[in-house]
Amino acid sequence: MSVPSRVLLAALVCLLMISTVVQGEKFKRSVTYDGRSLIINGKRELFFSGSIHYPRMPPEMWWDILKKAKAGGLNVIQTYVFWNIHEPEKGQFNFEGNYNLTKFIKMIGDLGMYATLRVGPFIEAEWNYGGFPFWLREVPNITFRSDNPPFKYHMKKFTKMIIDMMKDAQLYASQGGPIILSQVENEYNTIQLAFRELGTRYVHWAGTMAVRLNTGVPWVMCKQKDAPGPVINTCNGRNCGDTFTGPNKPSKPVLWTENWTARYRVFGDPPSRRSAENLAFSVARFFSKNGTLANYYMYYGGTNYGRLGSSFVTTRYYDEAPIDEYGMLREPKWGHLRDLHSALRLCKKALLSGKPSVENFGPNLEPKTKACVAFLSNNDSRTPATLTFRGSKYYLPQYSISILPDCKTVVYNTRMIVAQHSSRHYQKSKAANKDLRWEMFIEDIPTLNENLIKSASPLEQWSVTKDTTDYLWHTTSISLDGFHLPLRENILPVLRIASLGHMMHGFVNGHYIGSGHGTNIENSFVFQKPIILKPGINHISLLGVTIGLPDSGVYLERRYAGTRTVAIQGLNTGTLDVTYSEWGQKVGLDGEKFQVYTQEGSDRVKWNKTKGLGGPLTWYKTYFDAPEGNDPLAIEVATMSKGMVWVNGKSIGRYWVSFLSPTGKPSQSVYHIPRAFLKPKDNLLAIFEEIGGNIDGVQIVTVNRNTICSYIKESDPPRVNNRKREDSVIQKVFDDARRSATLMCPDNKKILRVEFASYGNPFGACGNYILGNCSAPSSKRIIKQVYHLSSLCT
């Protein structure tokens, strides 16, 4: 049953899309290269690639996301291989569910697309420990990513296992599969100098090792100026058309492995944006300067489930990508880039075989021509311009590129968006929030008297937890006489703790005294809180918390976290340093041990009814029914503080809404729940709250992009899909090639109403347009007549 959608428009087209699956060809392909491009079976091609990571979404979403990527004009999908999920314990492997790498690569081929496999095995990727399994850190005498025998042994072993797995499934293009490129290492130049000669020897060993695995396709190293032998060095960045110095040999093509579609966010960050216009400009400029493969990082970001995000990284990953976290098209970014790919394909012959030349028309103005293709570029970020080229005048908005596939017809301008826009909305679900009955279970606060790991000082956190949990308890006790304590009630001792990060919750005699935390830039912090002590035995219990392991930098195997020093200030006898006292450590929480977030585990503890405000270290559970309709869903936790959420035993990731960005708002307050995690009825929702919050404010919401808009100006070109190349001539596909505002309803939905229409000079953004000082009064009436008369909802 179709769900109505709200539509904002000037003119609209709502089309029902029928996608045809193109089965991957099963014949062997030769993949080679020269200084111009990659060559597949003797033919050159332009490659539009997008990063989509298989573990950042359930496998039930893979096909839909990949299909939308192909509809966006992509012909290559790029993914990392994530060592720590595939070999979490040494010699124990997992390639099931959303870790099924082989299935994911096969699916890419089934859709008729190519794949780039970034084996690494160091990947960074804002992924826990940069993809390294924690057990690797504990290999004796190991130094990561250097000419170190223990590291090279394990790296080669895993890399070879992945390559052999792909070969056994016949997934390389040389076997008839979709993989046309593989990557070894990742941005090694950023740390290479720290290792000096050991770094130089390592990077050459890594490249040589990879080539000897005989995949039948080229290998790449990103941001690696000295990529050895036939390994292609590639560019990562926002503007590789201007910043890339080029391949280290003239026989290698110009490839762009990461064009950042926005920026990943960490807790405490303000919103991150990158406009469709800016992104399109960078890609057009790259292809105008000999580029032949550009990859969007990310094209779909997805979700960092569980504890898989790196230090301080939010659960939502690259939501500003062309496909948002929920799998919906982020317009106009998706559509504007789709049109760019179509425009560049009209230029393919000249781009791959012509000779480039540059002609300057004054400051910041330059047409770049190749054979019969022109890129008219205005590099001025503030001022539009008009230039004369080959006898014709062309208007160029500020910081834009016009593409002329025949050196005379503008089919695309990077700043003139003719694709539709959309606006995302969250709506409280009636079905899911009906009669929610919350229950709670509170963690016990351990003391030194319990059976704990004893030590003479607080132990380093990761060496104890082995990254099996975010949590490590440190507890000690001190005996005080009355003369130690201040005599005045308004003077209190202060507990001072220096921590290496990332966070800590403090308890004295079982009472919560407060929390402290570092940041992504500065993990360490000092915690200072006044405390109430009593004569006799006083228990100090500290819960150390980490938010992921680091994913970048040199000497990752030597990073540390947790409590460093502990002192009590303001006693009558002065400062008491209790760092070197008897300490006990307890790994993890009781709720984790019992797995109270599962149905079976929840029966192992006693729950009590609750509502409203709750305290620290509290587990909550309730049951809900699947929301109405088919829209994606999420959970809103703005009234909580910090913790984690599980649905039917599956973690949807860490939340941290009490850590506010400079805008005064949390970096993320809504968290995606994949529908694949749900049953029709009685879904178990479990939340662990570290600090305290109002559980009644938690709600399940559905997500939609039901507001769609089109904004067209008289200076905009007609849509690029109305152009085709026959020989060297650009022709119209349809006789009527006028400028038009065109809309397509998402997911086969239908128009409910027209909320805004103006032929004139309206302004604003999708979902919030306002009439200007000139508007045809009949605009809205005419648009209503148009869509009521059309059986195709156009």
Side-chain angles (χ1 to χ4, degrees):
M1 180 177 179
S2 297
V3 180
S5 71
R6 297 182 297 129
V7 183
L8 291 144
L9 57 137
L12 70 97
V13 175
C14 180
L15 301 177
L16 302 180
M17 298 282 292
I18 301 176
S19 62
T20 302
V21 177
V22 180
Q23 296 297 323
E25 297 172 327
K26 298 301 181 183
F27 56 85
K28 296 180 181 180
R29 301 181 181 92
S30 166
V31 184
T32 57
Y33 64 81
D34 60 15
R36 175 55 66 88
S37 69
L38 295 176
I39 303 170
I40 299 181
N41 286 345
K43 295 182 179 180
R44 302 185 187 279
E45 182 58 85
L46 298 178
F47 296 98
F48 306 105
S49 175
S51 291
I52 298 174
H53 296 159
Y54 55 100
R56 282 180 157 135
M57 56 179 159
E60 291 84 352
M61 292 180 65
W62 289 353
W63 184 263
D64 181 62
I65 297 297
L66 292 173
K67 189 170 65 173
K68 288 174 178 174
K70 183 174 182 178
L74 301 193
N75 54 4
V76 184
I77 299 298
Q78 181 198 89
T79 186
Y80 282 120
V81 179
F82 300 76
W83 188 356
N84 55 1
I85 62 171
H86 293 309
E87 192 178 6
E89 301 291 337
K90 187 176 179 181
Q92 299 179 15
F93 299 98
N94 183 0
F95 289 91
E96 302 298 321
N98 63 331
Y99 300 165
N100 193 332
L101 172 62
T102 299
K103 181 179 178 180
F104 183 72
I105 300 297
K106 285 181 177 178
M107 197 174 288
I108 295 170
D110 289 341
L111 277 164
M113 293 190 288
Y114 299 119
T116 297
L117 191 68
R118 307 178 82 183
V119 182
F122 172 77
I123 61 173
E124 191 168 341
E126 294 69 58
W127 191 260
N128 201 44
Y129 224 18
F132 287 150
F134 189 84
W135 60 260
L136 191 68
R137 168 188 174 121
E138 301 189 316
V139 172
N141 303 315
I142 197 166
T143 301
F144 292 174
R145 306 176 72 196
S146 72
D147 187 22
N148 171 265
F151 178 76
K152 292 195 298 182
Y153 169 79
H154 289 287
M155 172 186 170
K156 180 179 179 179
K157 184 178 180 181
F158 179 77
T159 301
K160 185 177 184 302
M161 183 194 73
I162 294 297
I163 299 304
D164 288 345
M165 180 182 294
M166 298 298 102
K167 285 181 178 180
D168 290 344
Q170 296 187 322
L171 292 177
Y172 277 99
S174 56
Q175 304 171 295
I179 302 174
I180 59 171
L181 288 173
S182 295
Q183 178 180 307
V184 66
E185 253 297 335
N186 191 56
E187 297 186 347
Y188 189 68
N189 261 158
T190 59
I191 68 166
Q192 185 171 340
L193 289 178
F195 292 114
R196 301 189 180 184
E197 183 60 29
L198 291 176
T200 301
R201 292 207 303 263
Y202 165 70
V203 78
H204 281 263
W205 168 84
T208 302
M209 178 271 294
V211 171
R212 288 177 178 171
L213 293 174
N214 298 317
T215 62
V217 304
W219 284 85
V220 301
M221 282 184 169
C222 61
K223 297 181 74 170
Q224 193 62 43
K225 296 179 180 179
D226 58 345
V231 179
I232 305 167
N233 60 302
T234 66
C235 183
N236 287 2
R238 290 173 70 102
N239 296 291
C240 284
D242 292 316
T243 61
F244 188 40
T245 57
N248 59 9
K249 290 183 180 180
S251 60
K252 299 178 182 180
V254 178
L255 309 180
W256 190 356
T257 38
E258 288 189 20
N259 183 5
W260 305 320
T261 54
R263 177 172 171 77
Y264 69 90
R265 297 177 68 185
V266 299
F267 289 113
D269 267 358
S272 171
R273 303 260 192 266
R274 189 179 184 190
S275 70
E277 298 95 324
N278 183 276
L279 192 55
F281 182 94
S282 71
V283 175
R285 190 161 182 84
F286 177 73
F287 279 93
S288 78
K289 300 176 77 172
N290 289 326
T292 54
L293 181 152
N295 178 76
Y296 301 103
Y297 190 96
M298 300 288 295
Y299 197 78
Y300 167 76
T303 305
N304 291 315
Y305 299 113
R307 303 174 49 254
L308 291 174
S310 63
S311 296
F312 286 88
V313 170
T314 58
T315 298
R316 172 182 291 161
Y317 190 61
Y318 273 89
D319 182 48
E320 290 288 327
I323 303 175
D324 72 13
E325 183 189 16
Y326 303 100
M328 298 184 293
L329 303 183
R330 179 175 289 280
E331 299 279 24
K333 189 173 285 187
W334 181 88
H336 195 45
L337 295 177
R338 172 204 59 201
D339 294 344
L340 171 62
H341 305 149
S342 298
L344 290 170
R345 284 192 169 99
L346 291 174
C347 309
K348 181 171 73 172
K349 183 176 180 180
L351 288 176
L352 294 173
S353 61
K355 294 183 178 180
S357 64
V358 177
E359 183 177 353
N360 290 314
F361 284 73
N364 301 312
L365 296 173
E366 53 185 55
K368 300 177 182 298
T369 62
K370 292 191 174 190
C372 200
V373 169
F375 294 79
L376 306 184
S377 178
N378 180 1
N379 301 330
D380 192 309
S381 61
R382 295 185 178 182
T383 308
T386 300
L387 62 81
T388 301
F389 175 63
R390 295 195 174 187
S392 298
K393 291 185 180 297
Y394 295 92
Y395 170 74
L396 290 174
Q398 62 270 31
Y399 201 67
S400 73
I401 296 175
S402 285
I403 299 176
L404 290 65
D406 57 358
C407 283
K408 60 182 181 181
T409 306
V410 175
V411 300
Y412 183 89
N413 179 275
T414 58
R415 198 174 182 87
M416 297 176 178
I417 296 178
V418 299
Q420 72 181 29
H421 301 237
S422 67
S423 178
R424 189 166 69 190
H425 303 277
Y426 298 95
Q427 184 173 350
K428 183 176 180 180
S429 167
K430 293 181 180 179
N433 293 286
K434 184 179 180 181
D435 298 328
L436 291 183
R437 295 181 177 89
W438 289 100
E439 296 179 287
M440 71 173 184
F441 157 68
I442 301 175
E443 287 278 330
D444 288 333
I445 311 300
T447 64
L448 189 61
N449 299 327
E450 299 179 25
N451 185 21
L452 306 174
I453 303 169
K454 300 297 174 60
S455 62
S457 63
L459 296 178
E460 191 278 321
Q461 184 145 343
W462 283 321
S463 63
V464 180
T465 66
K466 313 295 185 186
D467 193 36
T468 59
T469 175
D470 284 355
Y471 305 105
L472 178 65
W473 282 105
H474 305 277
T475 183
T476 190
S477 62
I478 56 172
S479 178
L480 298 174
D481 294 329
F483 67 86
H484 287 101
L485 303 176
L487 299 178
R488 294 171 57 180
E489 293 183 356
N490 62 343
I491 298 178
L492 294 175
V494 172
L495 180 64
R496 185 184 190 278
I497 301 163
S499 172
L500 295 175
H502 300 154
M503 191 176 196
M504 195 206 67
H505 308 301
F507 299 81
V508 174
N509 295 323
H511 298 291
Y512 174 66
I513 61 170
S515 302
H517 63 82
T519 67
N520 182 56
I521 296 174
E522 182 56 66
N523 291 179
S524 60
F525 63 94
V526 174
F527 172 88
Q528 297 183 101
K529 292 289 182 180
I531 57 176
I532 297 175
L533 298 173
K534 62 183 181 180
I537 301 297
N538 291 268
H539 298 286
I540 299 174
S541 302
L542 310 175
L543 182 60
V545 184
T546 53
I547 304 104
L549 275 80
D551 70 330
S552 61
V554 71
Y555 300 123
L556 279 173
E557 72 283 356
R558 304 179 195 177
R559 304 292 181 88
Y560 305 106
T563 301
R564 184 71 178 269
T565 63
V566 183
I568 300 174
Q569 300 172 325
L571 297 174
N572 287 340
T573 52
T575 297
L576 177 62
D577 188 341
V578 296
T579 304
Y580 298 100
S581 303
E582 183 182 15
W583 285 86
Q585 276 77 207
K586 178 182 176 182
V587 177
L589 306 169
D590 290 336
E592 291 179 302
K593 176 183 176 182
F594 298 134
Q595 296 184 333
V596 299
Y597 46 82
T598 66
Q599 186 58 59
E600 182 181 357
S602 68
D603 294 334
R604 296 171 181 160
V605 300
K606 183 180 179 181
W607 298 84
N608 297 304
K609 293 181 180 179
T610 186
K611 62 180 180 178
L613 293 173
L617 307 190
T618 302
W619 292 85
Y620 296 95
K621 76 166 185 175
T622 191
Y623 294 88
F624 70 96
D625 294 338
E628 58 280 2
N630 297 311
D631 285 337
L633 65 140
I635 183 170
E636 167 69 63
V637 291
T639 60
M640 305 302 282
S641 296
K642 182 184 181 299
M644 188 175 284
V645 179
W646 292 260
V647 175
N648 291 328
K650 297 181 179 180
S651 171
I652 64 168
R654 302 180 180 101
Y655 68 87
W656 195 356
V657 294
S658 60
F659 190 177
L660 302 182
S661 76
T663 66
K665 298 179 180 180
S667 300
Q668 182 181 350
S669 60
V670 181
Y671 293 78
H672 181 210
I673 302 175
R675 279 196 177 264
F677 288 5
L678 298 189
K679 305 177 295 183
K681 298 279 187 181
D682 298 325
N683 295 282
L684 173 61
L685 172 61
I687 298 176
F688 175 64
E689 171 56 50
E690 297 176 19
I691 300 172
N694 186 348
I695 195 65
D696 291 341
V698 173
Q699 60 183 14
I700 307 295
V701 296
T702 57
V703 193
N704 67 71
R705 287 188 176 272
N706 287 348
T707 299
I708 57 175
C709 320
S710 185
Y711 186 93
I712 300 295
K713 300 182 294 296
E714 59 187 358
S715 57
D716 292 344
R719 294 193 62 181
V720 68
N721 65 352
N722 192 42
R723 303 289 184 180
K724 66 179 179 179
R725 175 183 285 276
E726 289 191 2
D727 296 326
S728 298
V729 180
I730 300 299
Q731 298 184 347
K732 299 177 182 177
V733 175
F734 311 108
D735 291 335
D736 186 1
R738 293 175 297 179
R739 298 164 183 82
S740 62
T742 306
L743 291 172
M744 179 179 70
C745 294
D747 303 320
N748 296 331
K749 294 180 179 180
K750 296 185 181 298
I751 295 172
L752 178 63
R753 62 180 176 270
V754 177
E755 293 192 341
F756 183 91
S758 172
Y759 181 79
N761 60 351
F763 60 95
C766 189
N768 193 30
Y769 280 118
I770 301 173
L771 291 175
N773 57 14
C774 173
S775 181
S778 59
S779 301
K780 194 169 183 179
R781 174 177 54 81
I782 291 173
I783 297 304
K784 287 184 176 181
Q785 290 175 348
V786 169
Y787 88 78
H788 279 307
L789 290 172
S790 174
S791 60
L792 291 177
C793 190
T794 59

